[in-house]
Amino acid sequence: MTQRVLTTESGAPVADNQNSATAGAGGPLLLQDQHLLEKLARFNRERIPERVVHARGSGAYGYFEVTDDVTDVTYADFLSEVGLRTEVFLRFSTVADSLGGADAVRDPRGFAVKFYTRQGNYDLVGNNTPVFFIKDPLKFPDFIHSQKRDPFTGRQEPDNVWDFWAHAPEATHQVTWLMGDRGIPASYRHMNGYGSHTYQWTNADGAAFFVKYHFKTNQGVRSLSTEQARELAGKDPNSHQTDLLQAIERGMHPSWTVYVQVMPAAEAAGYRFNPFDLTKVWPHQDHPLRRVGRLVLDRNPDNVFAEVEQAAFSPNNFVPGIGPSPDKMLQGRLFAYADAHRYRLGVNHTQLAVNAPRATTAENYGRDGLMASHAHPRDRKNYEPNSYAGPVETGRPLSAPVAVTGWTGTHAAPAHPKDDDFFQAGELYRLMSDDERSRLVANIAGGLAQVSREDVVERNLAHFHAADAEYGKRVEEAVHALRED
């Protein structure tokens, strides 16, 4: 049988469906990558009106307070003074299910924070896990398709879930997180949050640093077993929403201590693995946690639809002193998130109360479009430069520039000495207690044993064997035992 050729929607053959085009190996993504933009733009428009991912969500207002001086690594205004408070809105969510799904399910949780700073809104879009399943945004639509409802059966299919993971060995680390004890948080209050991506901070002298964010829950980490989650999801599908709402109403304001890991930019190229790889963590012995502040939630929204469902977060909403890194997944999301909101909520979604700046005023030349709410004086021009005292550029970049070299094209990430897809999954497994390992193995085997194709099962087993010999052996034995029953 002749193999069919993958093409773009215009019929052009696709040369590489695994690597986005970058400015040299390891460089930023290129806007000219039509295949990537087409995939992400179409993916964002697949469903209306709820989000394609992170549809089921809860949120609350609060504040972020600086507790430690970090001005040596960033000149961001909201981090400039110990004791300074900034209003925030935090949206929690599950990832794969629809708006009517249950809260107590085995799924990563979104952890998206909007800081209403004096220099504009800063959005930090993260999860409750420090890593993710893939490292290139070109694979994101395919990944989500494999995890959501099958277009024919209308349900999530183990064959699809595990077949994608079988072809994505880099997912092994996140699969180990997801299937472990922290895969089902007991509530939104009892889980950590992570920026997950690598970001860039720049200090007042122009020195650049790469950072990773950690939000450590002050309520303590609590999770549910598979059996507890099934029971709770049946009794109260809104369990996490109910818990968050009632805790804040009772005055039990949840809080998180915020830390960063800091890497001088010059160290990135020589680090033992790619520091911009979203499937890996930075070991704390290399880059210890450095405390920055605390985040407190103390006010519930008045209207869930207006303030939670219409909340729009985009990782390209930076403020001076903070910027992106060459993390390919982050680079793809810089486009995809904002594009999704313009489609779902309209081009003027930033004028909605929950999304508008609060500590400053937006000044730009955007006009008109669906649901435009701003009335401008008749002499206010809609072009720049102009001779009528309109807003002007500052001439100062938000963050330090990143040097790029090499040929344009689709590149795999540059190789570092420890760049493999399995060693951190193995390290995570070896950190677990015997009981944690047993539950992890049972959770993986319970899903993998339902897969109908033996070759898909074997591909996945090979990943666990590569991570740790005992890990692979135990999963293989558990899967075979379930398949023989």
Side-chain angles (χ1 to χ4, degrees):
M1 187 173 91
T2 303
Q3 186 75 48
R4 292 179 296 161
V5 174
L6 177 67
T7 73
T8 64
E9 293 187 25
S10 63
V14 173
D16 192 334
N17 194 40
Q18 302 299 312
N19 299 288
S20 301
T22 58
L29 301 187
L30 295 173
L31 189 62
Q32 70 187 43
D33 190 345
Q34 184 261 354
H35 179 48
L36 170 66
L37 299 191
E38 180 179 272
K39 282 185 74 173
L40 294 178
R42 167 168 275 281
F43 179 71
N44 282 338
R45 290 161 173 78
E46 286 185 356
R47 300 287 185 274
I48 57 171
E50 69 178 41
R51 290 167 169 85
V52 177
V53 289
H54 298 278
R56 172 67 184 156
S58 302
Y61 294 95
Y63 62 87
F64 168 78
E65 180 178 8
V66 179
T67 58
D68 296 79
D69 184 8
V70 290
T71 55
D72 60 314
V73 288
T74 181
Y75 69 90
D77 178 71
F78 79 102
L79 299 173
S80 63
E81 181 184 347
V82 172
L84 180 62
R85 288 189 177 186
T86 299
E87 184 181 4
V88 301
F89 181 77
L90 198 161
R91 186 178 188 270
F92 305 98
S93 56
T94 54
V95 176
D97 214 342
S98 59
L99 187 58
D103 288 338
V105 293
R106 188 173 297 279
D107 197 16
R109 300 299 192 276
F111 194 100
V113 187
K114 187 181 295 291
F115 298 84
Y116 299 101
T117 89
R118 296 178 297 196
Q119 292 189 307
N121 291 351
Y122 171 45
D123 290 352
L124 183 60
V125 182
N127 283 327
N128 72 325
T129 61
V131 293
F132 197 61
F133 297 92
I134 53 175
K135 62 182 75 173
D136 193 300
L138 198 61
K139 302 175 76 168
F140 187 71
D142 299 301
F143 164 62
I144 295 297
H145 287 163
S146 75
Q147 308 298 299
K148 291 181 76 71
R149 296 176 185 271
D150 182 89
F152 172 65
T153 66
R155 65 184 187 183
Q156 189 182 50
E157 293 291 348
D159 277 358
N160 299 353
V161 171
W162 289 96
D163 185 39
F164 182 89
W165 288 343
H167 289 86
E170 70 269 29
T172 308
H173 192 188
Q174 174 71 320
V175 170
T176 304
W177 268 89
L178 179 63
M179 296 300 175
D181 280 1
R182 296 193 180 189
I184 314 178
S187 78
Y188 290 133
R189 296 182 297 127
H190 294 94
M191 68 182 194
N192 294 334
Y194 302 88
S196 301
H197 296 290
T198 300
Y199 294 90
Q200 187 205 74
W201 279 8
T202 307
N203 68 14
D205 296 325
F209 304 85
F210 293 118
V211 302
K212 283 185 175 290
Y213 293 89
H214 299 251
F215 295 75
K216 299 291 188 179
T217 175
N218 294 324
Q219 292 70 238
V221 173
R222 287 179 50 204
S223 303
L224 301 172
S225 68
T226 301
E227 295 72 25
Q228 290 171 324
R230 287 172 181 163
E231 182 178 355
L232 181 58
K235 287 181 176 178
D236 181 9
N238 306 303
S239 58
H240 290 28
Q241 162 69 15
T242 301
D243 175 86
L244 181 66
L245 174 75
Q246 292 182 349
I248 294 175
E249 289 297 294
R250 291 196 305 267
M252 299 172 58
H253 300 154
S255 67
W256 288 259
T257 301
V258 184
Y259 302 87
V260 290
Q261 290 177 283
V262 180
M263 175 188 293
E267 292 183 11
Y271 196 54
R272 65 181 183 277
F273 58 83
N274 182 359
F276 311 119
D277 181 348
L278 185 56
T279 68
K280 293 182 175 65
V281 299
W282 296 356
H284 290 186
Q285 62 265 30
D286 292 351
H287 301 283
L289 294 180
R290 178 172 174 177
R291 193 175 66 178
V292 180
R294 67 186 184 116
L295 186 150
V296 179
L297 299 180
D298 59 6
R299 180 166 65 88
N300 284 309
D302 294 325
N303 185 294
V304 171
F305 174 77
E307 299 168 271
V308 178
E309 291 312 305
Q310 293 194 124
F313 300 83
S314 178
N316 64 4
N317 287 340
F318 292 112
V319 293
I322 302 178
S325 78
D327 178 339
K328 293 178 81 171
M329 282 296 293
L330 172 60
Q331 292 273 324
R333 284 170 168 160
L334 298 181
F335 162 77
Y337 276 58
D339 183 60
H341 300 318
R342 294 184 190 106
Y343 163 68
R344 179 173 174 266
L345 298 172
V347 71
N348 289 303
H349 67 273
T350 55
Q351 297 176 17
L352 296 170
V354 69
N355 299 322
R358 298 192 173 203
T360 187
T361 301
E363 292 279 4
N364 56 60
Y365 293 91
R367 296 290 188 276
D368 306 332
L370 184 68
M371 301 297 288
S373 63
H374 286 180
H376 298 277
R378 65 178 64 183
D379 62 348
R380 185 75 59 85
K381 304 303 179 183
N382 65 344
Y383 61 89
E384 198 279 332
N386 62 61
S387 304
Y388 297 87
V392 297
E393 63 195 22
T394 66
R396 185 180 187 186
L398 299 186
S399 57
V402 176
V404 296
T405 59
W407 298 95
T408 63
T410 57
H411 300 280
H416 293 239
K418 286 288 288 182
D419 265 340
D420 75 67
D421 295 322
F422 308 111
F423 80 94
Q424 287 202 348
E427 289 178 340
L428 178 58
Y429 175 81
R430 290 186 289 274
L431 283 174
M432 296 179 179
S433 68
D434 289 341
D435 287 345
E436 287 177 309
R437 293 181 189 182
S438 295
R439 289 188 291 268
L440 169 68
V441 168
N443 290 333
I444 293 173
L448 193 52
Q450 299 178 56
V451 174
S452 62
R453 291 183 49 147
E454 197 64 37
D455 61 324
V456 174
V457 174
E458 292 303 320
R459 277 179 178 264
N460 280 284
L461 291 177
H463 296 169
F464 300 120
H465 280 291
D468 181 271
E470 178 193 293
Y471 188 9
K473 182 174 183 291
R474 292 182 64 176
V475 172
E476 181 172 5
E477 290 174 349
V479 169
H480 289 166
L482 288 172
R483 290 170 77 84
E484 290 170 358
D485 287 346

